């Protein structure tokens, strides 16, 4: 099909079906599909929300005429058979991080405002997944009408249910099914990402500090390990009128001799920590500066400060960089008081110049010096596909042809499904160099939103990408 004719057909599909696509997105956003381990059961291994969202996505694919399968609630897929069993994979995820505090819009509804869709999952990853699924439906419609030949390969669209909390969905799938020959996920940035930093999560836990010895009685912050926390608060033994004011902090009386300190930071994805302000760090700095901690509390909080105030890892002695991925990043995502212990989670994205074992050894040593413990809770090694790979170039060509740009592929710190498969890439839809209005939030933050025009453009890019990938040898 000639380029101009394809462009006309893309425009016609969007004109006819865009409002329906938005409603498809909204139907998924209405489902609070965050993991709830205490509610998991057979067929719903990540809790009722992810299961319901997975079922809704598969139902949408059925209505489009695709062959679907639910793999025991871990993951599902929709197949568009081609002339061979060789598979092109597309994978999105139906789970989300919890809404968290700070929303000015309803998190589990899609609000359309000034050309944007606002709601949890509109950007990460329900919105892009629906758009990519419709790109596959675009080609199905053409083939059903006899206006396009059958694809040489089968396309399998995978719907994950555990991307945000460990990717156990993909682990389950890969034990039972062969990898696609190549796969892309619409869950990152354009033009095309061919490599991802290593992913490393951990937990710092203080030694027990009885409440009678503590000044900090409560401390909570953050909604997810893999995000810069935008909100945090602590209850301390101190009169509010004796505490000095501080930027981004609200200090309120909370009973006789007690004060509640509330921090308003700025949420951001853990892979781009410089875009956020860590609310836990704001409170830790304040507690230490104003002596609002006993000796054992101080020892742990000073260690925590080394994590929270140095997103390049220099505070912890794990700073590193390489030619492919650039610098290591690390954030403290959540904090809580559990069984008289401070529990601080962290998320690091690391390059090839440092190993996970080195990170574990360093953090374990630092924790031991203050009577704390450290545990590595998640590990993903760095992932790289050569940028000259024909599949990477096909995705890049689709992007540049649609946008008229001369963009180049890149690597990133975010962790996507692509890294879990033998050959893959993350592919849009974000354009971080295009700035949204201030009232539009980022993924994992309050008021998460995405431009309708960006999603429409992504639809055209995905339509062209599928076509171009079908024109190369994927085997």
């Amino acid at each position: 099909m000639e380029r101009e004719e394809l462009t006309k057909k893309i425009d016609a599909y969007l004109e006819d079906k865009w409002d329906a696509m938005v409603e498809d997105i909204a139907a998924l956003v209405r489902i609070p599909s965050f993991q709830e381990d205490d509610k998991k059961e057979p067929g719903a291994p990540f809790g009722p929300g992810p299961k319901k969202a997975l079922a809704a996505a598969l139902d949408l694919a059925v209505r489009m005429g695709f062959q679907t399968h639910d793999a025991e609630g871990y993951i599902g897929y929709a197949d568009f058979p081609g002339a061979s069993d060789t598979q092109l994979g597309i994978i999105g995820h139906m789970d989300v991080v919890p809404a968290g505090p700070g929303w000015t819009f309803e998190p589990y509804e899609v609000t359309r405002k000034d050309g944007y869709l606002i709601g949890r999952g509109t950007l990460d990853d329900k919105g892009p997944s629906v758009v990519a699924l419709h790109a596959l439906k675009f080609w199905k419609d053409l083939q059903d009408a006899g206006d396009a030949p059958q694809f040489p390969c089968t396309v399998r669209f995978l719907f994950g249910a555990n991307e945000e909390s460990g990717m156990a969905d993909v682990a389950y799938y890969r034990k039972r099914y062969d990898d696609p020959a190549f796969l892309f996920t619409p869950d990152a940035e354009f033009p095309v990402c061919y490599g991802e930093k290593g992913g490393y999560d951990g937990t710092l836990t203080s030694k027990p500090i009885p409440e009678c010895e503590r000044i900090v009685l409560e401390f909570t912050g953050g909604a997810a390990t893999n995000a810069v926390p935008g909100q945090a608060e602590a209850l301390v033994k101190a009169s509010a009128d004796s505490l000095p004011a501080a930027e981004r902090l609200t200090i309120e009386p909370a009973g006789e001799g007690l004060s509640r300190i509330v921090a308003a930071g700025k949420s951001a994805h853990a892979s781009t920590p410089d875009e956020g302000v860590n609310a836990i760090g704001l409170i830790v700095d304040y507690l230490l500066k104003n002596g609002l901690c006993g000796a054992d509390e101080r020892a742990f909080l000073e260690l925590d400060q080394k994590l929270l105030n140095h997103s390049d890892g220099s505070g912890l002695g794990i700073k590193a960089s390489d030619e492919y991925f650039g610098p290591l990043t690390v954030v403290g995502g959540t904090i809580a008081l559990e069984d008289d212990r401070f529990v601080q989670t962290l998320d690091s994205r690391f390059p090839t110049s440092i190993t996970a074992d080195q990170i574990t050894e360093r953090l374990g040593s630092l924790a031991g010096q203050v009577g704390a413990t450290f545990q590595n809770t998640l590990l993903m090694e760095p992932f790289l596909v050569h940028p000259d790979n024909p599949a990477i170039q096909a995705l890049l060509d689709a992007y540049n042809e649609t946008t008229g740009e001369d963009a180049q592929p890149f690597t990133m710190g975010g962790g996507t499904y692509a890294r879990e498969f033998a050959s893959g890439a993350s592919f849009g839809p974000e354009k971080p160099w295009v700035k949204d209005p201030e009232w539009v939030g980022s993924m994992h933050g309050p008021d998460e939103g995405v431009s309708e025009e960006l999603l429409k453009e992504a639809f055209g890019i995905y339509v062209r990408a599928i076509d171009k990938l079908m024109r190369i040898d994927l085997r």
Side-chain angles (χ1 to χ4, degrees), residues 384-464:
L384 194 74
V385 175
H386 198 279
D388 290 338
N389 183 292
I392 299 295
Q393 289 299 309
L395 297 180
L396 185 64
D397 289 346
Y399 175 83
N400 284 333
E401 184 177 300
T402 302
T403 64
E405 298 175 23
D406 185 25
Q408 297 301 314
F410 65 98
T411 64
M412 70 172 186
T416 72
Y417 281 134
R419 71 187 310 132
E420 300 299 308
F421 292 85
S423 182
S426 55
F427 188 45
E430 288 189 273
K431 291 183 172 183
W433 59 93
V434 177
K435 299 304 178 184
D436 295 324
E438 289 187 2
W439 52 268
V440 179
S442 62
M443 66 169 66
H444 293 191
D447 297 335
E448 174 185 344
V450 63
S451 162
E452 293 190 48
E453 286 305 311
L454 178 64
L455 289 181
K456 289 179 180 179
E457 184 178 60
F459 171 79
I461 294 169
Y462 295 142
V463 166
R464 289 184 173 88

Side-chain angles (χ1 to χ4, degrees), residues 125-136:
D125 184 41
K126 294 173 178 178
S129 294
V130 166
V131 167
L133 183 63
H134 270 274
L136 189 59

Side-chain angles (χ1 to χ4, degrees), residues 138-156:
F138 171 92
W139 285 110
K140 184 179 186 303
D141 288 351
L142 288 183
Q143 291 183 25
D144 289 347
D147 293 334
Q150 184 183 27
F151 285 152
C153 302
T154 293
V155 183
R156 172 162 289 184

Side-chain angles (χ1 to χ4, degrees), residues 219-223 227 229-233 263 265 277-287 304 308-309 332-336 343-345:
F219 199 167
T220 59
Q231 300 285 330
E233 62 178 71
V277 177
N278 194 306
I280 299 172
L282 293 173
I283 290 183
V284 168
D285 287 348
Y286 188 85
L287 296 176
D304 208 18
L308 300 167
N309 288 2
T334 68
I335 195 168
V343 180
Q344 171 72 64
T345 66

